[in-house]
C-alpha cells in the first residue's frame, strides 16, 4: 500500500490530522492498534480551548460539539474554604473554553473519516518506521495477523507516549526533558448533575481536587492521591467523603453525590522530546510531549501540532517550498513549552507534595492570594487557560 501521509494512531491528533489533510485534498492512511470501541470510550480530556473549537468547526467536525458542548466563561479557584472566580471573557477580550469530552471529539472524527475520508484501520499495529530520512519512509505494521508495509511520502507519529514512531529517530539526535510528580489523580465519572456550573480547582492541605463535568447530568471529578495508588483501594463512600472535605467552603455550597460509574488513576508527568521532526518523520501530540492535566492542555497541544503540520504540507504542495515543514519542530515547541510552563505552574500551585514544608504551603497560598487580588495575575492565568495562539 502507498499513501502521501502515513498516520500512526487514531487519538485526537491522528484523527484530526487525517480530517485536515482530507479537506486539503491530501490523501492519508491511519493505522490504529486498538479497536474502535476502545478508542471511543477512553476517558480523558474534557476542555477545548477556543482555538481548538474554531479548528474543529472549520474542519466540518463541529456540528454536535456546537449542539452539546458547554461554553464556560470562567473557572473557580478554591482554598482555605474561600472561592474566587476567574472571568475569562472579561480578562481576555472575549475568549472562553468549551466542555466537550475527548471521547466525543474522537467519535465525531471517526464517523467523518469512515464516511468521507481515506482508510482508517483499527487493530492495525505499527511495528516500526523505516528509513525516516529517505525519500520514501515506510511503516511496517501488523493487521489481521499479517505483516504489511505502508509506503509514504511522510509519516506522522500520532501514537501517544507509548508509541513506536519516535524510536526511529537516532538517539544521539534527540533530547528529552522530564519532570515526574510524586502524586497521581484518581478520576471518577458519576451520574449526578455537576455541583457547580463551572470547573472548580481546589487546593487543600489534604491534597488537590477538581470538579469537572461531561454533561448537565454527568460529573467528572478528580482527587490527588499518592503515586502508585490502586483505584480499587478507594470505596465510593471514601471518594465522596474526601471530595466533600477538599471542596468545603464557608458558605452553603454543597457537593451532590451520585452513583460512580468509572474510577481510574492517572500518573502525572511533564515530558518533552526534541526535536519533533527527523527527515520525513514528524511527531505530534502525546508522542512528543506530555503535560500534567491541571492545565487542561494535552489535547489542545495535539490539535496545535497537527494544524501546523497540515498547513506546512499544504504550503509545500502549493508552492514547492519546504520552509514551513522545516519550521515545524521549532514552531510547535514554542507553544509546547508555554503549555509546559503553565501546566507546571498550575500543578505546583494546587497540589500538595508529600514532602511539602510549611514554607511551600505559604508560597502556594501567596500565589492563590495574588490571583485573587491582582488583575495582571488573573489575566495571565485566563490567557493561558483559554489558549496560546497557534501561530
Ligand atoms: P492519544 O490520545 O494517546 O492517542 C494515541 C493513539 O495511538 C495509538 N497507538 C498506536 N497505533 C498504532 N500502532 C502503534 N504502535 C500505536 N501505539 C499507540 C493508541 O492506541 C492511541 O489511540 O494521543 P494524542 O492523539 O496525541 O492525544 C493526546 C491526548 O489524548 C492527551 O494529551 C489528553 O487526553 C490529555 N488530557 C487533557 N488534555 C486536554 O487538553 N484537556 C484536558 O482537560 C485533559 N484532561 C488528559 C486529561 C489526560 C488524562 N489522562 C488519562 C492522561 C485528563 C486525564 C485524566
Ligand atoms: C476533565 O474534565 O477531564 C478535565 C478538566 C480540566 C482539567 C483536567 C481534566 O484540567
Amino acid at each position: 500500500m502507498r499513501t502521501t501521509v502515513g498516520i500512526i494512531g487514531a487519538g485526537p491528533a491522528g484523527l484530526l490530522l487525517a480530517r485536515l489533510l482530507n479537506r486539503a485534498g491530501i490523501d492519508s492512511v491511519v493505522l490504529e492498534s486498538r479497536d474502535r470501541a476502545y478508542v471511543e470510550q477512553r476517558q480523558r480530556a474534557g476542555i477545548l480551548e477556543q482555538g481548538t473549537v474554531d479548528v474543529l468547526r472549520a474542519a466540518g467536525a463541529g456540528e454536535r460539539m456546537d449542539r452539546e458542548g458547554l461554553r464556560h466563561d470562567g473557572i473557580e479557584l478554591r482554598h482555605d474554604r474561600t472561592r474566587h472566580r476567574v472571568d475569562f471573557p472579561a480578562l481576555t477580550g472575549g475568549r472562553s473554553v468549551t466542555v466537550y469530552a475527548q471521547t466525543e471529539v474522537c467519535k465525531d472524527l471517526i464517523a467523518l473519516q469512515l464516511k468521507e475520508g481515506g482508510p482508517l484501520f483499527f487493530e492495525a499495529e505499527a511495528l516500526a518506521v523505516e528509513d525516516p530520512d529517505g525519500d520514501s519512509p515506510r511503516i511496517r505494521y501488523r493487521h489481521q495477523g499479517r505483516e504489511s508495509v505502508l509506503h509514504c511520502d511522510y509519516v506522522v507519529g500520532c501514537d501517544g507516549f507509548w508509541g513506536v514512531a519516535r524510536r526511529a529517530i537516532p538517539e544521539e539526535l534527540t533530547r528529552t526533558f522530564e519532570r515526574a510528580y510524586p502524586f497521581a489523580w484518581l478520576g471518577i465519572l458519576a451520574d449526578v448533575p455537576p455541583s457547580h456550573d463551572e470547573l472548580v480547582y481546589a487546593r487543600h492541605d489534604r491534597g488537590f481536587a477538581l470538579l469537572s463535568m461531561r454533561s448537565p447530568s454527568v460529573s467528572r471529578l478528580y482527587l490527588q492521591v499518592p503515586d502508585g495508588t490502586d483505584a480499587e483501594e478507594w470505596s465510593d463512600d471514601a471518594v465522596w467523603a474526601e471530595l466533600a472535605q477538599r471542596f468545603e467552603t464557608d458558605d452553603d455550597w454543597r457537593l451532590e453525590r451520585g452513583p460512580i460509574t468509572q474510577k481510574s488513576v492517572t500518573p502525572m508527568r511533564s515530558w518533552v522530546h526534541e526535536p519533533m521532526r527527523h527527515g520525513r518523520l514528524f511527531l505530534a501530540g502525546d508522542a512528543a510531549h506530555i503535560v500534567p492535566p491541571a492545565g487542561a492542555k494535552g489535547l489542545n497541544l495535539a490539535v496545535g501540532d497537527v494544524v501546523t503540520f497540515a498547513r506546512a504540507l499544504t504550503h509545500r504542495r502549493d508552492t514547492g517550498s519546504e520552509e514551513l515543514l522545516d519550521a515545524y519542530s521549532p514552531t510547535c515547541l514554542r507553544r509546547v513549552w508555554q503549555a509546559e510552563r503553565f501546566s507546571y505552574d498550575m500543578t505546583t500551585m494546587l497540589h500538595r507534595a508529600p514532602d511539602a514544608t510549611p514554607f511551600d504551603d505559604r508560597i502556594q497560598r501567596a500565589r492563590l492570594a495574588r490571583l485573587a487580588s491582582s488583575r495582571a495575575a488573573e489575566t495571565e492565568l485566563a490567557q493561558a487557560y483559554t489558549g496560546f495562539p497557534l501561530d
Side-chain angles (χ1 to χ4, degrees):
M1 206 172 20
R2 177 150 207 107
T3 186
T4 305
V5 183
I7 300 174
I8 310 177
L15 290 167
L16 179 62
L17 177 58
R19 178 72 185 164
L20 295 171
L21 294 174
N22 179 247
R23 302 276 279 192
I26 298 171
D27 65 293
S28 69
V29 172
V30 184
L31 305 173
E32 164 59 50
S33 57
R34 312 302 294 247
D35 63 28
R36 180 175 177 180
Y38 181 89
V39 172
E40 290 188 342
Q41 265 139 49
R42 190 168 37 196
Q43 267 309 319
R44 285 188 162 184
I47 296 285
L48 309 183
E49 291 173 1
Q50 177 93 50
T52 297
V53 167
D54 295 343
V55 166
L56 288 169
R57 232 177 245 151
E63 197 206 326
R64 195 161 66 93
M65 172 188 75
D66 281 333
R67 248 185 300 125
E68 297 176 15
L70 309 168
R71 180 190 151 117
H72 279 206
D73 283 341
I75 56 169
E76 185 176 303
L77 298 172
R78 215 173 261 200
H79 69 104
D80 299 297
R81 308 176 68 89
T82 63
R83 320 166 57 168
H84 175 72
R85 177 170 189 262
V86 181
D87 181 332
F88 295 151
L91 294 159
T92 61
R95 294 169 77 81
S96 62
V97 296
T98 295
V99 172
Y100 189 64
Q102 179 166 332
T103 47
E104 308 314 297
V105 173
C106 288
K107 281 181 205 162
D108 296 347
L109 288 168
I110 288 170
L112 282 169
Q113 183 69 13
L114 294 176
K115 195 162 138 232
E116 301 169 9
L120 158 57
F121 297 112
F122 290 102
E123 298 176 81
E125 186 191 1
L127 304 172
V129 177
E130 293 170 348
D131 206 13
D133 51 359
D135 285 341
S136 180
R138 301 174 298 278
I139 305 172
R140 211 155 41 73
Y141 68 100
R142 190 185 301 119
H143 183 45
Q144 295 172 337
R146 275 190 34 223
E147 267 195 36
S148 309
V149 174
L150 177 62
H151 297 267
C152 315
D153 292 341
Y154 299 91
V155 173
V156 185
C158 300
D159 46 354
F161 181 68
W162 302 105
V164 298
R166 70 173 177 273
R167 287 190 218 148
I169 308 180
E171 217 169 288
E172 62 275 17
L173 300 180
T174 71
R175 254 188 106 178
T176 56
F177 302 84
E178 182 163 19
R179 167 104 192 197
Y181 302 90
F183 39 75
W185 279 13
L186 172 70
I188 62 157
L189 267 185
D191 283 335
V192 59
S195 301
H196 193 58
D197 52 7
E198 292 178 339
L199 271 64
V200 180
Y201 288 81
R203 186 236 168 248
H204 192 281
D205 283 343
R206 298 179 64 84
F208 169 76
L210 170 62
L211 182 155
S212 180
M213 62 200 72
R214 287 293 173 264
S215 73
S217 56
V218 176
S219 295
R220 174 81 170 147
L221 295 126
Y222 297 98
L223 272 180
Q224 176 190 340
V225 292
D227 200 19
T229 296
D230 178 353
E232 295 316 310
E233 292 166 27
W234 283 79
S235 70
D236 293 6
D237 285 346
V239 171
W240 285 119
E242 190 65 33
L243 285 165
Q245 279 197 64
R246 297 190 192 180
F247 285 122
E248 221 160 40
T249 59
D250 278 334
D251 55 26
D252 58 1
W253 186 89
R254 285 283 165 277
L255 179 69
E256 297 302 329
R257 304 178 185 207
I260 295 178
T261 57
Q262 239 189 68
K263 233 185 255 162
S264 60
V265 172
T266 306
M268 216 134 287
R269 69 161 66 76
S270 302
W271 173 83
V272 181
H273 179 283
E274 293 186 359
M276 289 172 60
R277 174 209 183 170
H278 175 64
R280 288 171 171 259
L281 168 63
F282 295 75
L283 303 176
D286 280 14
H289 39 73
I290 299 283
V291 285
K297 286 281 163 262
L299 185 157
N300 295 293
L301 278 182
V303 169
D305 293 348
V306 297
V307 167
T308 304
F309 178 78
R311 270 189 201 155
L313 190 57
T314 310
H315 183 71
R316 160 83 172 71
R317 181 200 55 194
D318 295 344
T319 67
S321 163
E322 300 272 341
E323 184 191 4
L324 295 188
L325 286 171
D326 288 344
Y328 173 80
S329 180
T331 302
C332 291
L333 285 168
R334 273 194 293 278
R335 197 161 167 273
V336 166
W337 276 109
Q338 285 307 316
E340 291 287 348
R341 173 189 66 79
F342 175 65
S343 305
Y344 170 85
D345 283 351
M346 288 287 278
T347 304
T348 54
M349 178 172 74
L350 294 165
H351 291 71
R352 194 138 198 289
D355 60 352
T357 63
F359 179 85
D360 298 327
D361 290 339
R362 284 286 194 273
I363 291 289
Q364 285 187 324
R365 291 191 165 94
R367 287 163 77 182
L368 285 155
R370 175 80 183 149
L371 277 166
S373 62
S374 154
R375 194 174 164 92
E378 259 191 317
T379 302
E380 159 59 19
L381 186 150
Q383 283 179 351
Y385 197 95
T386 55
F388 301 106
L390 266 177
D391 294 307

